[in-house]
Amino acid sequence: MMVCDFKHLGESCHQTGAAVLAAETRKLHSNGPKCQELGWSCIPLAVETYGNWGKEAQDTISRLASHLAIHQSKSSVVAEIYGRLNMTLVRSIARAILARELPPS
């Protein structure tokens, strides 16, 4: 679920990544206990509007790329993963915008 969180806007002006760190913390707090109960790892995939990914997401993508990099370099696999994730986010945002009811002309 994508949430627009303006309360961290001021912090983001002074500290790069403040909003994504807050999103990671919020996701861990809300999903962590249930994941732990199920024996799963909780990995918050938080990203800011302009593409700054959270540390947890970056670390996970890097580990995933290490396992997938058989016939390509790790850096090209990382770029491909981010490209696919970014396109998924762009499509989701576009669908959300198009789904809004337009005011009558």
Side-chain angles (χ1 to χ4, degrees):
M1 175 195 331
M2 293 173 40
V3 177
C4 184
D5 189 357
F6 291 111
K7 68 183 175 186
H8 297 287
L9 185 60
E11 294 172 34
S12 293
C13 293
H14 302 290
Q15 178 187 351
T16 302
V20 79
L21 179 59
E24 278 187 332
T25 302
R26 186 176 58 250
K27 288 178 178 215
L28 282 171
H29 179 72
S30 64
N31 300 314
K34 182 65 175 179
C35 288
Q36 189 174 19
E37 179 183 312
L38 295 169
W40 299 348
S41 296
C42 183
I43 303 167
L45 296 180
V47 62
E48 290 181 339
T49 304
Y50 292 107
N52 184 25
W53 287 83
K55 175 137 178 47
E56 295 266 355
Q58 291 178 33
D59 292 346
T60 301
I61 290 168
S62 180
R63 284 193 310 273
L64 179 62
S66 293
H67 293 289
L68 294 174
I70 297 169
H71 300 291
Q72 296 175 302
S73 69
K74 180 181 172 184
S75 61
S76 61
V77 173
V78 167
E80 185 173 339
I81 291 170
Y82 278 120
R84 288 176 185 241
L85 288 171
N86 288 333
M87 279 310 299
T88 300
L89 287 171
V90 168
R91 287 182 183 137
S92 295
I93 292 167
R95 271 195 295 276
I97 290 170
L98 291 173
R100 290 183 181 173
E101 187 175 320
L102 297 174
S105 310

